[in-house]
Amino acid sequence: MPDLHLDVVTAERLVYSDDVDMVTAPGSLGELGILPRHAALVTTLQAGALRARKGADETNLAISGGFLEVRDNRVLVLADAAERAEEIDVERARAAEERARLLLQERRATADLAVAEAALRRSQVRLKVARRRQTTEIPR
Ligand code: ATP
């Protein structure tokens, strides 16, 4: 019986809420693995894939940065943006990737480059997560 609860919320909506066995999140300093009875923790997230494992199922979400808190076997992710794999519009992410690549090729002001790099990263995370689909059967 799982005893870890995960909520992923954005300013707009509750994206995911369920009891899970393990959460893997894109921490700013590297990937974080969270199991039941994890120590209390607050950290920032970078754009990346968040995985929630429940039994043999794994749910993949694209996260565009934010915060993660672990307390009393509850994991709360406050994300700038988050989409489940099956919600990702692949054509939109490809178009965003292309726009960001063109901006980076133009090599304009430093601020523009940072914005374009962040947009490129978000689009690439979405494309990677979309490829994984929402639920992947994990070989036992
Ligand atoms: P775009 O340039 O396509 O808007 P973006 O990276 O600038 O991409 P965000 O600012 O991160 O987009 O997100 C804005 C909103 O659009 C959020 O609600 C996010 O979940 C949603 N979103 C962005 N890209 C996609 C996508 N490819 N598929 C589904 N939802 C998306």
Side-chain angles (χ1 to χ4, degrees):
M1 193 61 180
D3 54 356
L4 188 65
H5 186 83
L6 170 65
D7 286 315
V8 179
V9 299
T10 67
E12 291 158 5
R13 66 189 179 114
L14 177 63
V15 181
Y16 182 94
S17 180
D18 205 350
D19 290 334
V20 297
D21 297 327
M22 182 178 179
V23 177
T24 307
S28 296
L29 299 176
E31 196 165 77
L32 279 170
I34 301 152
L35 289 163
R37 289 176 283 283
H38 194 286
L41 167 78
V42 177
T43 188
T44 51
L45 298 174
Q46 59 178 321
L50 184 141
R51 301 197 303 275
R53 184 167 173 169
K54 180 171 184 156
D57 290 338
E58 192 174 80
T59 299
N60 281 272
L61 294 96
I63 302 287
S64 302
F67 295 89
L68 176 146
E69 179 188 56
V70 185
R71 191 152 47 102
D72 297 335
N73 286 324
R74 298 183 76 85
V75 181
L76 174 62
V77 173
L78 302 170
D80 299 333
E83 305 92 35
R84 288 171 174 255
E86 77 274 14
E87 294 172 334
I88 293 171
D89 178 336
V90 171
E91 283 312 310
R92 177 175 169 178
R94 284 205 185 111
E97 182 184 37
E98 184 62 23
R99 274 198 309 279
R101 280 193 194 285
L102 287 174
L103 281 172
L104 287 171
Q105 276 169 19
E106 286 175 15
R107 297 195 170 279
R108 281 189 293 182
T110 319
D112 289 348
L113 289 183
V115 169
E117 275 164 6
L120 181 64
R121 168 108 185 131
R122 289 196 301 277
S123 66
Q124 289 175 336
V125 166
R126 287 181 176 123
L127 291 170
K128 185 173 82 175
V129 170
R131 276 196 295 274
R132 284 187 192 156
R133 306 237 177 100
Q134 198 229 341
T135 301
T136 313
E137 189 74 14
I138 300 165
R140 286 188 185 274

